[in-house]
Amino acid sequence: MGWELKGVGMKAKFSFGKGQVEVEVPDAFRIHVIHSRTGAALADEAAALAWALDHPIGCAGLAELAAGKKTAAISVCDITRPAPNRTTLPPVLERLHAAGIPVDEVTILIATGLHRAATEDEVNTIVGPEIAAKYRVVSHDAKALAEHRFLGETGQGTPIYIDERFMAAELHITLGFIEQHLMLGFSGGRKLIAPGLAAQETIKVIHSPRFMREPKATEGSIADNPLHAELLEIARVARHDFALDVTLTQERAISGVFAGEPVKAHAAGVAFVEQSCLERIGEPVDAVITSAAGYPLDLTFYQIVKGITAAAHMVKPGGRILIVAQCAEGVGSAEFARKLSAMKDYKSFLEEIRTSPVEVDQWQLEKLALTGEKFELHFYTPGVTRGQLGFLAEQAYNSLPEAVAATLDGLEPGARVAMVPEGPYTFVRAEEPVGTAHVR
């Protein structure tokens, strides 16, 4: 990939809510627009799903696994994830019924983690109105401890509480999709059990500073990632029987299907993402303008942190990151909003939470603060008021042109600027040794 000095400004359409906004960078800089790379869309999704379910990785076919079972529970992503459940659920349900499990003995759990419950309209979006009308579809509630089963502790001492409705079933299935994840390496697989179906007593521990500050608990890596290992252990204890994960194109068509024994199937999907999606850019850049990937990932300020941490892998120390996100539902949870508005600076916040009891959603701010200590962060998030942003309001802007101008102010002519329209869906790494940002 070459960096070119353009004779005119560079314009690019960025994902923003359910639409797009146009971002323009002046021609004084060496600019490159980095779009997400993916595998090609499958020619026949239905055939690929059928083959994967009947010839899975590392275990018997799903219908064979379901034979003799009376009940099944299926964990699916919530509205903040563009998982194609309406495509992947029907062939799974078909095989469960062929094996003798009736409709009224199948429970579909929306794996909210600590997110809010799905609305009726969102349930229809997540699973499709036909399935919503016919099956038991319920949202997980992490704050209702009595609705979880205690399964003991991990070797690291994490208490394991998993939704009782999932545990009560004889067959445990997860449906997810695989993309890079800000601390777990990649999404999918075990994440649909914890934090997806875990009580807050479990979630707070796996999102505590002990894991959040681990250097290898980061995007794009499961090798030696201690959080990945912890969640695999939790999933084993909860008896994760079968996983169906897919990979997606930029247009969110299915590019790969990985089904079977959960650890092996997920690992195969990760290998596919690494091979088909990773973009290497050589020397780190001086500034990145990125998005939160649009709806549903930019619904709240809480979610946009993923776009910021993903961009950090391509920026020089001291460089700049501008996040462009709609935030139509505002900040996020009440707990997150309170901590965000009270934050005075990154250093004091990180010290404050180092040894204090973990509070709901503090981990996303922790990842933001850890990134903010290394880079200069800027925000265009019109759905959030400046009063809600605490000290971050100093680098939040009322218009997109103002945000771009402020982010680039002081950079020398010819400085490298990356434009990343799809945000965290773009899996990018700089290869060359990092210097410092090119500032006048």
Side-chain angles (χ1 to χ4, degrees):
M1 174 182 299
W3 296 94
E4 300 178 36
L5 187 61
K6 299 293 181 179
V8 295
M10 175 72 82
K11 297 180 181 180
K13 298 285 189 181
F14 274 51
S15 299
F16 188 81
K18 293 184 178 180
Q20 295 179 316
V21 291
E22 186 173 74
V23 177
E24 181 174 4
V25 173
D27 62 4
F29 306 104
R30 286 189 285 174
I31 306 161
H32 202 97
V33 181
I34 307 174
H35 289 287
S36 59
R37 290 181 58 199
T38 67
L42 296 175
D44 190 335
E45 293 180 349
L49 285 164
W51 173 265
L53 294 172
D54 295 336
H55 305 85
I57 299 168
C59 69
L62 180 58
E64 187 177 344
L65 284 180
K69 306 287 195 307
K70 297 179 180 179
T71 58
I74 307 171
S75 178
V76 301
C77 298
D78 72 0
I79 195 64
T80 66
R81 306 290 189 270
N85 302 308
R86 295 168 73 157
T87 301
T88 57
L89 261 175
V92 169
L93 294 169
E94 177 186 330
R95 282 154 179 77
L96 297 184
H97 302 327
I101 300 177
V103 168
D104 59 2
E105 294 296 347
V106 174
T107 301
I108 300 170
L109 292 110
I110 299 173
T112 58
L114 271 164
H115 302 165
R116 61 168 174 77
T119 65
E120 183 177 347
D121 284 345
E122 287 170 348
V123 171
N124 287 330
T125 298
I126 291 167
V127 302
E130 299 83 4
I131 290 175
K134 187 176 180 181
Y135 290 83
R136 184 188 306 112
V137 183
V138 294
S139 288
H140 166 68
D141 183 358
K143 297 181 181 179
L145 182 60
E147 296 178 7
H148 297 75
R149 184 182 297 185
F150 178 59
L151 302 175
E153 295 184 348
T154 67
Q156 295 293 319
T158 301
I160 306 172
Y161 292 93
I162 302 297
D163 196 302
E164 175 62 30
R165 294 166 294 187
F166 187 77
M167 294 308 306
E170 290 185 66
L171 185 62
H172 299 157
I173 301 168
T174 63
L175 268 59
F177 77 105
I178 300 174
E179 62 176 353
Q180 62 172 336
H181 184 271
L182 81 164
M183 53 209 179
L184 190 51
F186 294 91
S187 64
R190 68 282 188 248
K191 191 174 184 289
L192 275 292
I193 294 178
L197 299 180
Q200 66 176 344
E201 285 75 8
T202 299
I203 297 173
K204 286 181 177 181
V205 176
I206 60 178
H207 289 74
S208 68
R210 184 174 79 191
F211 291 107
M212 295 303 96
R213 303 190 190 190
E214 282 278 357
K216 292 188 177 180
T218 188
E219 291 94 348
S221 177
I222 57 175
D224 301 319
N225 185 324
L227 184 57
H228 170 65
E230 191 77 348
L231 297 198
L232 284 182
E233 183 176 352
I234 292 172
R236 283 196 301 271
V237 173
R239 208 188 71 247
H240 192 183
D241 295 316
F242 191 90
L244 170 59
D245 285 319
V246 299
T247 54
L248 303 176
T249 69
Q250 183 181 331
E251 295 74 27
R252 297 179 185 170
I254 295 174
S255 59
V257 181
F258 308 91
E261 191 281 319
V263 177
K264 294 178 181 178
H266 183 260
V270 166
F272 178 80
V273 171
E274 291 175 328
Q275 180 274 326
S276 62
C277 302
L278 180 59
E279 181 79 81
R280 296 195 181 275
I281 63 170
E283 183 181 348
V285 302
D286 296 283
V288 172
I289 301 172
T290 189
S291 79
Y295 179 88
L297 282 185
D298 73 348
L299 275 173
T300 65
F301 193 90
Y302 172 88
Q303 290 289 351
I304 73 166
V305 175
K306 297 171 183 177
I308 296 169
T309 61
H313 293 279
M314 64 184 95
V315 192
K316 295 177 180 178
R320 298 153 183 202
I321 300 171
L322 167 63
I323 185 80
V324 176
Q326 188 177 57
C327 300
E329 292 189 2
V331 174
S333 71
E335 296 90 344
F336 180 83
R338 185 176 63 253
K339 279 199 167 291
L340 175 63
S341 63
M343 189 163 59
K344 296 181 175 59
D345 59 71
Y346 298 127
K347 183 177 180 180
S348 64
F349 173 76
L350 291 170
E351 283 302 313
E352 170 196 333
I353 67 171
R354 182 183 296 276
T355 57
S356 60
V358 178
E359 295 186 37
V360 171
D361 287 352
Q362 77 172 38
W363 41 87
Q364 208 84 330
L365 269 183
E366 185 171 11
K367 281 293 188 183
L368 178 68
L370 289 167
T371 308
E373 284 201 309
K374 299 176 182 177
F375 308 99
E376 185 182 302
L377 306 184
H378 297 260
F379 304 88
Y380 175 62
T381 54
V384 178
T385 67
R386 294 173 66 86
Q388 293 173 301
L389 288 174
F391 93 101
L392 298 183
E394 299 170 10
Q395 289 174 294
Y397 308 96
N398 294 323
S399 74
L400 183 52
E402 179 189 3
V404 173
T407 301
L408 302 179
D409 183 49
L411 291 181
E412 292 185 356
R416 290 177 170 83
V417 178
M419 302 172 75
V420 188
E422 294 89 37
Y425 290 145
T426 308
F427 185 13
V428 184
R429 291 293 181 273
E431 290 182 310
E432 297 179 13
V434 296
T436 55
H438 205 198
V439 182
R440 285 198 294 265

